Amino acid sequence: MRGLRCLTLAISAGMLLVACNSDASDANTPGVVKNMPPIHLEQTAELLIDGENAARTAYMQAADACEAGGIPTRRLSASEVELVGVTRYEMWLDGTSETTQTRAWDAGQESPDALCQFRLELSGTFSSSTADTFVEQDLATGQREEQTVAAEPMQRFAIAAQDEQAPEGFRGPVAKQVAGQPCEEWTTPDDNRFCVWSGGRAWGFGSTRGDDYRPSSNGIVLEAEPANGNGYRVVTQVLSAGQAFAAPTAATEKRQ
């Protein structure tokens, strides 16, 4: 039985792009992506205050205060300190599966009674979807859920440049390259800058976003820089399209 199938792409603040076709199983439907290449992303984000990693600054101030007060203190190692306040985003997409992993690190205490005994805490989520399965794992607790779902094609729809519209008051775009990939840089009304991948329209990635720095399967901000050093900074280490990869099937324990 033929039905109507729609995919909603959030491509900018307050604007949704909806693509529909009359038969989800018809690979010849106009706009349906037929040759999705493998796409792999690795990037990091940090919340800055006055140009400094806010969580890292807070940890250093707390550790210094513990020692100044004569309280027995266990500091984080240098490599652990570098992770404090960092969120790492990873995606593996290939047209038949979508796998994402988000990991964030912060400085915590061993217990409420040991406030100056610091330890590195990891939080985040691993998820993987195919046409008939969904897996999700909480990285803080290790809890893992796996579900079998009704088999359904994982279709994506191409986006035409003329179908995109930037939010009101945004200035740009300026064409740039980040991590070897083309992107369009926009400046928000409050002067924050972000550069959105513009090389993925044919596979359903829009190149206009609201002021959301987080990557998704609908759009990827390759670089973001806050005005006056207050806001989120995004740095992309890897974005590849067309290079084969082996997507993980479970959360990884890579620490950096």
Side-chain angles (χ1 to χ4, degrees):
M1 180 175 182
R2 293 178 181 269
L4 182 67
R5 178 177 172 82
C6 299
L7 177 67
T8 301
L9 303 179
I11 62 173
S12 66
M15 177 184 176
L16 297 178
L17 174 66
V18 181
C20 300
N21 69 80
S22 60
D23 184 356
S25 65
D26 184 0
N28 295 317
T29 302
V32 174
V33 176
K34 303 178 182 66
N35 297 300
M36 172 81 168
I39 295 173
H40 176 214
L41 172 74
E42 292 186 18
Q43 65 180 197
T44 53
E46 299 177 81
L47 175 61
L48 306 183
I49 295 180
D50 295 330
E52 301 293 335
N53 179 305
R56 194 174 300 148
T57 297
Y59 156 71
M60 296 296 293
Q61 291 174 343
D64 289 346
C66 285
E67 292 185 341
I71 303 174
T73 303
R74 182 172 72 235
R75 288 180 175 263
L76 302 179
S77 68
S79 60
E80 290 175 328
V81 171
E82 288 300 307
L83 289 175
V84 172
V86 173
T87 300
R88 181 175 293 277
Y89 298 102
E90 295 170 283
M91 293 199 309
W92 298 264
L93 313 175
D94 64 7
T96 61
S97 66
E98 295 185 357
T99 300
T100 65
Q101 182 167 254
T102 299
R103 289 170 293 163
W105 293 270
D106 204 351
Q109 290 79 31
E110 286 293 339
S111 72
D113 299 323
L115 297 181
C116 293
Q117 301 293 301
F118 295 97
R119 67 174 184 176
L120 187 67
E121 294 184 340
L122 170 67
S123 61
T125 304
F126 169 89
S127 68
S128 180
S129 298
T130 65
D132 57 8
T133 61
F134 175 73
V135 175
E136 185 172 68
Q137 182 173 341
D138 185 306
L139 301 188
T141 65
Q143 182 176 355
R144 178 183 172 94
E145 295 183 8
E146 184 167 347
Q147 301 176 12
T148 300
V149 297
E152 192 171 355
M154 299 186 70
Q155 290 189 333
R156 297 180 63 85
F157 296 82
I159 300 175
Q162 62 267 25
D163 290 335
E164 296 193 284
Q165 180 180 336
E168 184 177 354
F170 280 43
R171 305 189 300 276
V174 176
K176 293 183 60 177
Q177 278 217 342
V178 172
Q181 295 286 340
C183 65
E184 294 182 349
E185 183 177 82
W186 297 88
T187 302
T188 69
D190 51 2
D191 292 329
N192 293 322
R193 294 183 293 107
F194 61 98
C195 206
V196 190
W197 186 37
S198 58
R201 287 191 181 104
W203 311 309
F205 292 88
S207 61
T208 58
R209 295 285 300 268
D211 200 11
D212 190 348
Y213 64 92
R214 295 167 296 184
S216 77
S217 59
N218 297 331
I220 298 173
V221 174
L222 292 181
E223 181 180 76
E225 190 65 33
N228 303 316
N230 294 296
Y232 282 94
R233 171 180 290 162
V234 175
V235 178
T236 296
Q237 290 77 39
V238 175
L239 177 59
S240 64
Q243 298 181 22
F245 57 68
T249 57
T252 65
E253 295 300 323
K254 186 171 61 174
R255 309 297 292 187
Q256 54 184 322

